[in-house]
Amino acid sequence: MNSKKTGSVVVIGGGISGMLSALDLANSGFYVYLVEKGPSIGGVMSQLDKTFPTNDCAM
Amino acid sequence: MEYPQAVPLKYGINPEVCLKLTKDKCGTCEEVCPANAIDYTQTEKTLILDAGAIIFSPGFKPFDPSKFDNYQYVNYPNVVTSMEFERILSASGPTMGHVTTFPKLPLNPKKKADKLLAEKRKDPKKIAWFQCVGSRDMNKCDNPYCSSVCCMYAVKEAIIAKEHAGGDLECSIFFMDMRTPGKEFEKYYQTAKEKHGINFIRSRVHSVTEDFDTHDLQIRYADEMGQIVTDVYDMVVLSVGLEITPETKALAGKLGIEMTANGFCKTDSFEPVTTSRDGIYVAGVFNNPKDIPESVLEASAAASAAGDALSEVRDTLTKEVAKITEVNVVGERPNIGVFICDCGSNIKGVVDTAHVTEYAKTLPYVTFADENMYACSQDAQDKMVEQIKEKKLNRIVLAACTPKTHEPLFQETLKSAGLNKYLFEMTNIRNHNSWVHKNNPEIATQKAKDLVRMAVAKAALAEPLREEKINVNASVMVIGGGLAGLTAAKSLATQGYDTHIIEKKEVLGGEALKLFKTAQGEDVGERLAELVQAVTAHDKITVHTNTTLENVEGFVGNFKSVLKTGDKTIELEHGVAVLATGAKSSEPTEYGYGTDERVIRTLDLDKLLKENDARLAAVNTAVFIQCVGSREPLRPYCSRVCCTHSVDNAIALKKRNPAMDVFILYRDIRTYGERELLYKEARELGVIFIRYDVDKKPVVTIEKDGLKISLNDHVLNRPVTIDADLLTLAAAIVPRRDERLANFFKVPMNDEGFFIEKHAKLGPAEFATAGVFLAGSAHYPKPVNEAITQGRAAASRAATLLSKKDNLFTSGSIASVDAEKCSSCGVCISICPYSSPRFVSEGRFEGKAEINGVLCKGCGLCVASCRSGALHLRGFDTNQIFSQIFALGEVV
């Protein structure tokens, strides 16, 4: 087993958690592969109309 | 294509239904596609990626209620799921935001049967929500857990439905326990009841039947008195729970990740985002049901965990972003492009956007105007870049939503087109217009025209602005040595940053020192000691105990703080700060607390359990009272942790002595997520739960031989009296309300004294003040695993800033001084809340004011205060503001 570490991370799932994990990692110096099964990222949150408790638009 | 804002916004072929792929017929799309983008020969490819870590965030699927025959979701057109109802409310949904019955039919049906049904369509007058469909249910499905989000989304959907449908829509929510334990959630629930008039009915509905002709729905349920009630509704919304799909479980199995019986990821409370497999971290609903802010926190926390593991290979595989050369537009005649956004039907549903677009074309200096369905979608952005380049536009006006969320996005678009990002003016024709004037479309259209005309007048005077570079001091100050603070410090130190922990007490550990066990049974004392040991031994961490913060100066990247330990003061320079000052248990003023030693608080019971106190052996009857000081007018919030904590302690008591009678007196049991299993276990062990109403609280009489606790039993509906020898009060958790600290960092607190985060959904671990982060119960009461998650999240957010080193810039929109005009009066210096203006100490303009651009927030206070007219706010200069005002006055 190669003990040398690799400076990249695979994020599985392009919902709100996956996207933000990917952003934090990319913004702190890691190369990120964001893997999503569907044709677009955004997950369930992008299907929501508004969010509680502020009633902000979910998009 | 899934929806207009999908990223990437590209059409895809569904291989399961495509005739060409399944039967080798059709092929029309290939013939008609002008870009020749269709390629049927593409097949699945296997890529091999090299990575140092994996973050697993596969998410969930809303529960499918098809198999529930008593609700007839499949057969009744007016029974919908909550997810479908979200789409009904959405402007980009199938009914374009119009709440209507038969929502599953196409808007203009073609089939004969559908047409007949569509004729019966009406605006519903009564809608019912059924909670816990596919959650907390072992009878009809196998999901014993609580899905955590449904109570809140049902309240939200009911409020929004009323907004869409107008005042006379009647909304009823049928629930078992109302679970609103998040920040600001309880207030939202109370507002729904009191202001919006939403009915909350405590009952699990037995069944739904349909009127054959009208398709109205008759529902049958037992009310709180046990009486059977039947009622007719136009629509029923099933509040479906969150479920992990078999595919996700299979994938997790393949990855070697351990799961709970319900298919959620098994994690330790002290390592809440670390899976059982080394190098794989977890975030989101797969790691237990949760809402958006919790998912966002876990996202950052997982990034911090991966960052800890990979810190030595940071920056080894990243590439520099290619910089686009900025076009110099100084001295050019303004060439303004106006973009009008429809925001689906959000704006277009009220404002005549086509007319506003045509109008914009007639305004001075406007050479181009265009309308977009969603200006923020990827294709609209790409088109905008092309249009800017092609028409040589040098000032851009966007009439759309709020700059608060969308300005940075469009400024990036300008940058990609080679324009300075300050050559941009955004005007809000949605929040300030179409939303508030939805009943007056003509006036709204007129107002949109006024707003666009004003924005154009201002944009014509816009100049490119420059941003100053900020050097970041790569060290950290963490205030508060509790779980959240220790976690944040440990992560940042592990990632290589010098970290200082400031703790006002003598020892590290905070309130967690008083805890017995976590909800998952881990021994808090033991695990906390390990964490304290790791932190104390870390060579990058300096611990300052018995220390208070006396002063803070400076700004993101360059803070200077004064610490006081005993009578010694030191100055600490740091680039970022993490506020983790925690919260504490309140002192109850009721139920005889403080007058008798048999009446104690939750943390006192933890102490007894921890020390295996002999007092416990003598207890025959133990009673818990929940919500002591929480969810009341004085503290209108839920303290979140108490239900689980009391249930957990009740189980501990029952396990020590099964013969002990244990009662929990509660208002709603809020054991969210898989904590619900504890509630179930407690009932199985014989713990008795009795619900009370806030206006009929239990009465405690203290007598020599015992405590007498009287209340009305909700099942028997008659008064009962319990003779107890131990009463544990779930006292409200209160913040420390540290005004001084809030002032030092210019960070806000809510009415109760909890710090207000940058954004309730998307910025829960940071403040609006750049470089200041937030973790733990100072944000809101939270259990061990959530405090640690937020500690890690704050660390991750801080790391994104610290790792930038010399890549951080100020805003271009800051104040500047015309030294020739400055009279050296000093008003600007005294008025600035950020200590940005100062007197020049030498040279030609000695004694005149100057602005420290890094400190300036662009608030404009100094500009307004300057009596000599020497101060200017770049991007909001006097001539720009006046031009807007004059434009407003123009008669059109």
Side-chain angles (χ1 to χ4, degrees), chain B residues 636-825:
Chain B
Y637 62 90
C638 162
S639 293
R640 186 171 179 94
V641 300
C642 334
C643 280
T644 308
H645 203 153
S646 293
V647 168
D648 206 16
N649 281 349
I651 292 173
L653 291 178
K654 265 286 186 196
K655 281 189 175 162
R656 288 171 65 99
N657 175 11
M660 191 191 290
D661 289 323
V662 182
F663 296 86
I664 295 185
L665 316 183
Y666 70 99
R667 287 170 61 192
D668 291 277
I669 286 289
R670 294 183 166 175
T671 43
Y672 55 94
E674 285 192 299
R675 289 166 168 82
E676 178 71 10
L677 303 181
L678 287 174
Y679 180 28
K680 189 166 161 274
E681 187 188 347
R683 281 175 296 166
E684 282 163 2
L685 285 170
V687 176
I688 294 168
F689 289 81
I690 307 177
R691 190 166 54 74
Y692 73 87
D693 281 327
V694 66
D695 44 5
K696 266 191 264 165
K697 285 186 182 177
V699 175
V700 178
T701 322
I702 294 170
E703 289 174 11
K704 211 168 189 181
D705 56 342
L707 307 164
K708 290 212 181 305
I709 302 157
S710 315
L711 77 161
N712 194 60
D713 184 294
H714 69 288
V715 179
L716 306 171
N717 193 27
R718 60 166 58 166
V720 290
T721 299
I722 306 164
D723 289 310
D725 26 33
L726 185 70
L727 172 60
T728 307
L729 305 179
I733 293 174
V734 290
R736 302 194 187 272
R737 193 182 271 286
D738 191 340
E739 306 268 356
R740 224 162 68 110
L741 184 63
N743 273 332
F744 284 156
F745 288 103
K746 322 246 164 16
V747 293
M749 289 190 287
N750 70 4
D751 291 344
E752 291 83 44
F754 291 107
F755 286 121
I756 300 177
E757 61 274 35
K758 182 178 180 182
H759 190 284
K761 294 280 145 195
L762 303 177
E766 60 206 282
F767 285 104
T769 307
V772 189
F773 302 89
L774 170 64
S777 294
H779 162 258
Y780 194 69
K782 49 179 64 74
V784 168
N785 61 329
E786 292 172 17
I788 291 180
T789 298
Q790 202 176 12
R792 270 204 176 281
S796 176
R797 302 299 302 141
T800 63
L801 223 154
L802 293 165
S803 64
K804 290 245 182 353
K805 283 176 230 131
D806 46 16
N807 215 355
L808 192 67
F809 295 89
T810 63
S811 163
S813 182
I814 53 175
S816 65
V817 183
D818 181 349
E820 302 279 1
K821 286 190 183 160
C822 176
S823 64
S824 305
C825 69

Side-chain angles (χ1 to χ4, degrees), chain B residues 345-380:
Chain B
S345 69
N346 261 310
I347 296 171
K348 200 185 181 159
V350 179
V351 174
D352 182 349
T353 41
H355 175 69
V356 179
T357 312
E358 284 312 307
Y359 169 74
K361 289 179 183 164
T362 66
L363 293 168
Y365 300 113
V366 173
T367 53
F368 179 77
D370 195 13
E371 182 187 340
N372 287 299
M373 186 178 180
Y374 285 103
C376 59
S377 65
Q378 189 61 47
D379 69 326

Side-chain angles (χ1 to χ4, degrees), chain B residues 146-157:
Chain B
C146 158
S147 292
S148 302
V149 298
C150 326
C151 281
M152 278 300 285
Y153 75 56
V155 177
K156 174 201 73 178
E157 288 182 357

